[in-house]
Amino acid sequence: MKVVAFNASPRKEQGVTDRMLKLFIEGMQEAGAEVELIYLTGKKIGYCTGTFACWLQTPGVCIIKDDMADILVKIREADMVVYGTPVYLDGMTAQMKTLMDRSLPLMYPHIEMRDGHTRHPLRGKKRQKMVVVSTCGLPEMDNFDPMITHFKAAAKTLYMNYIGALVRPAGVLLDLVAQSQPEKVESIYSAIKKAGYEVVAEGRMSPQTLKAASQELISQEAFMEQLNTTFRALGIEMQ
Ligand SMILES: Cc1cc2nc3c(=O)[nH]c(=O)nc-3n(C[C@H](O)[C@H](O)[C@H](O)COP(=O)(O)O)c2cc1C
């Protein structure tokens, strides 16, 4: 199985998204997948200019000449696309949204009916599986809801097969909690890796594995206390 994974965190290797993606990829590779990880930050990927030239003037080819051309080839050739992004303002990062917008050349402009909904047909013959890997700062699971809703809808538009989302709330506290509860953080990491194995070996991520990966790291109250104490110690006060 050929997989292309995107990391849309501006923090690249320093971020929690990257830590998750690396473990997830390890699991996928153990199950026999061939995976390429692409960092969007640092790539030259301009905003879509909305001309529809990729549909009307140069069918299937974007008029913006940048790194997106190679990325579209990789998506077309992949069996699975892993969209790795942190939650930024309740959604994906701008880097990821730019990649999504620039995916328009993957489709024809024509209209077909899919499940009672008008859609654009896929240019390629291959239908990719879509997996989302994400982290956020706050501790609640519902912080991922708007982004997951968006990806699910995008999977329908891009005619991909949405497999699921592997998420880790309060990711910013992983290192801190690892000091007092190393076994808890270890179990989170091994669940993330297991999810990668499962998605390749079984075509799904089991609910138990996803639950273990997103298990409570810290209570809301402790989270609040921890963060506010840190900010006060840094001399950052509310007026
Ligand atoms: C601009 C910005 C917006 C963010 N918005 C949210 C948010 O809406 N909800 C949330 O829980 N965390 C939010 N976060 C926290 C990030 O999701 C968190 O820091 C995450 O670890 C970043 O991913 P990375 O470590 O891979 O870079 C935001 C961070 C930034 C910089």
Side-chain angles (χ1 to χ4, degrees):
M1 178 185 286
K2 224 170 162 174
V3 181
V4 61
F6 297 110
N7 181 340
S9 163
R11 299 204 301 148
K12 297 171 83 177
E13 283 103 331
Q14 265 66 56
V16 179
T17 308
D18 198 56
R19 201 178 304 178
M20 293 177 74
L21 279 172
K22 294 262 170 70
L23 290 161
F24 191 69
I25 288 170
E26 237 181 276
M28 286 196 287
Q29 286 169 333
E30 276 182 21
E34 182 195 318
V35 190
E36 182 176 3
L37 173 61
I38 297 174
Y39 293 92
L40 297 184
T41 299
K43 290 272 179 212
K44 201 168 155 244
I45 306 176
Y47 296 134
C48 173
T49 50
T51 61
F52 289 109
C54 63
W55 278 359
L56 308 175
Q57 271 83 50
T58 52
V61 181
C62 183
I63 46 164
I64 306 171
K65 300 298 167 216
D66 60 14
D67 292 335
M68 199 58 205
D70 281 349
I71 286 177
L72 286 178
V73 173
K74 289 178 196 296
I75 293 175
R76 266 203 195 101
E77 290 174 352
D79 301 293
M80 186 186 291
V81 184
V82 178
Y83 291 92
T85 176
V87 173
Y88 268 24
L89 265 295
D90 303 291
M92 61 188 79
T93 62
Q95 286 85 343
M96 184 57 87
K97 184 59 169 60
T98 305
L99 173 109
M100 302 295 276
D101 293 350
R102 292 286 305 279
S103 298
L104 213 66
L106 293 174
M107 291 165 293
Y108 288 110
H110 309 74
I111 308 293
E112 67 181 6
M113 195 66 80
R114 293 203 300 262
D115 300 325
H117 199 294
T118 50
R119 305 273 183 201
H120 301 290
L122 258 192
R123 255 174 220 286
K125 297 274 170 279
K126 226 176 196 177
R127 270 194 75 193
Q128 285 76 24
K129 291 176 177 167
M130 175 191 279
V131 175
V132 176
V133 172
S134 185
T135 186
C136 75
L138 298 173
E140 300 86 4
M141 283 294 277
D142 68 3
N143 289 294
F144 297 101
D145 290 352
M147 190 193 63
I148 289 174
T149 300
H150 191 167
F151 271 113
K152 280 183 180 168
K156 287 184 183 161
T157 298
L158 293 167
Y159 206 8
M160 289 186 179
N161 177 10
Y162 180 82
I163 300 292
L166 171 73
V167 299
R168 176 61 256 166
V172 287
L173 289 189
L174 279 167
D175 289 339
L176 186 81
V177 175
Q179 291 170 20
S180 53
Q181 299 175 76
E183 60 302 322
K184 182 184 254 192
V185 174
E186 241 354 279
S187 75
I188 290 168
Y189 290 157
S190 56
I192 294 171
K193 187 175 161 187
K194 191 171 177 207
Y197 187 92
E198 285 176 353
V199 86
V200 172
E202 300 163 24
R204 67 190 273 272
M205 297 179 285
S206 74
Q208 301 91 302
T209 305
L210 293 180
K211 206 169 162 202
S214 61
Q215 67 183 271
E216 186 179 275
L217 197 59
I218 184 167
S219 70
Q220 286 174 304
E221 289 69 26
F223 177 86
M224 213 157 52
E225 180 61 28
Q226 179 63 50
L227 270 286
N228 289 336
T229 304
T230 306
F231 295 137
R232 268 185 233 113
L234 289 169
I236 304 163
E237 295 296 341
M238 292 198 287
Q239 300 303 313

